Amino acid sequence: MKRNQDGKSKVFQAIFYLSPGDYHRFHCPADVTFKRRNHITGYLDPVKPSYVKNRPDVYQKNERVALFGEWEHGFLTYVCVGALNVGSIEFNFDKKLKTNEKLHNPKEGKNISVFDYTKMASFDIFAPVLQKQEAAKNCPESEKGVLIAKGEEVGRFNLGSTIILIFEAPEDFLWNVKPGDKVRYGQSIGYIPPDENNQVAC
């Protein structure tokens, strides 16, 4: 899965739970080129921490949509998980995505559909032109997929739910947040310590 094989990068992950009273739109943590989308239909069990504590397989069984892409430092996977009464997941750039629909194979408990963004004739980016140009500098393969600039809206839940973020970064990446923290829109969740050139925040 890792793009960089030089031994200087690691895989990091974080789970962001959105309660019904939280902000229900989700944004891009960095300049990312998304290349593929997997939609896995499934169940819609609750995802509140107290329930997940006793049912750790919830994220494996619930309906979810995973975006697979790349950012400046390697791969980045962005997973939107449905929940009880929250099966509706929308992406601003992907009108073909239809969630919260009846299972075709209810005995299996899930169906999987894959959409390849690299085969799209064109892509949209919901960001000002200057932001788009700056994002493209960090995503040299942005012509092959959907480029979303850091901070721009990716989509929304039609109520609260959960975002799972899995990404590759230099091994010295540091978190700005800890388990249980409340994260707000625009807040940096982590950073790569500065070297002689720059500091990268997510």
Side-chain angles (χ1 to χ4, degrees):
M1 182 181 290
K2 288 174 61 178
R3 186 185 70 183
N4 300 315
Q5 302 297 326
D6 57 8
K8 296 181 179 180
S9 68
K10 292 176 59 177
V11 176
F12 298 84
Q13 63 179 10
I15 299 175
F16 301 92
Y17 167 65
L18 308 176
S19 73
D22 287 334
Y23 179 67
H24 303 149
R25 297 172 185 265
F26 40 88
H27 297 254
C28 208
D31 298 329
V32 181
T33 300
F34 291 114
K35 300 190 174 185
R36 191 176 85 247
R37 174 255 286 168
N38 285 11
H39 174 208
I40 304 172
T41 56
Y43 302 106
L44 292 173
D45 288 340
V47 294
K48 59 183 180 180
S50 59
Y51 185 87
V52 174
K53 183 178 181 180
N54 297 314
R55 294 286 300 276
D57 60 347
V58 166
Y59 298 133
Q60 300 173 21
K61 293 184 176 181
N62 272 20
E63 180 169 14
R64 57 202 180 275
V65 184
L67 291 172
F68 299 91
E70 293 186 0
W71 73 305
E72 184 179 4
H73 297 284
F75 82 88
L76 186 146
T77 302
Y78 196 102
V79 186
C80 305
V81 184
L84 183 67
N85 299 322
V86 197
S88 181
I89 303 168
E90 299 179 20
F91 291 156
N92 293 345
F93 56 87
D94 186 348
K95 303 306 179 186
K96 293 185 178 182
L97 176 64
K98 302 295 181 184
T99 62
N100 202 20
E101 295 187 336
K102 186 176 180 180
L103 288 171
H104 296 137
N105 300 309
K107 289 184 179 180
E108 295 182 12
K110 65 181 180 181
N111 298 299
I112 302 175
S113 64
V114 178
F115 189 82
D116 187 349
Y117 293 132
T118 66
K119 296 181 179 179
M120 295 173 65
S122 63
F123 64 82
D124 293 317
I125 178 167
F126 294 84
V129 174
L130 290 177
Q131 276 190 292
K132 178 178 179 180
Q133 293 174 345
E134 187 63 31
K137 293 179 183 178
N138 295 327
C139 298
E141 298 184 14
S142 59
E143 72 277 6
K144 298 179 181 179
V146 178
L147 170 62
I148 303 295
K150 178 180 177 179
E152 289 307 306
E153 183 180 311
V154 176
R156 68 189 65 81
F157 291 109
N158 290 324
L159 202 61
S161 193
T162 297
I163 296 288
I164 299 175
L165 188 62
I166 305 170
F167 61 96
E168 181 179 1
E171 58 186 359
D172 57 351
F173 174 86
L174 296 173
W175 292 102
N176 279 334
V177 293
K178 61 183 184 300
D181 281 357
K182 193 84 168 180
V183 178
R184 299 185 179 277
Y185 168 66
Q187 177 181 345
S188 171
I189 61 171
Y191 67 97
I192 299 168
D195 54 22
E196 296 178 357
N197 298 314
N198 62 347
Q199 173 175 314
V200 179
C202 299

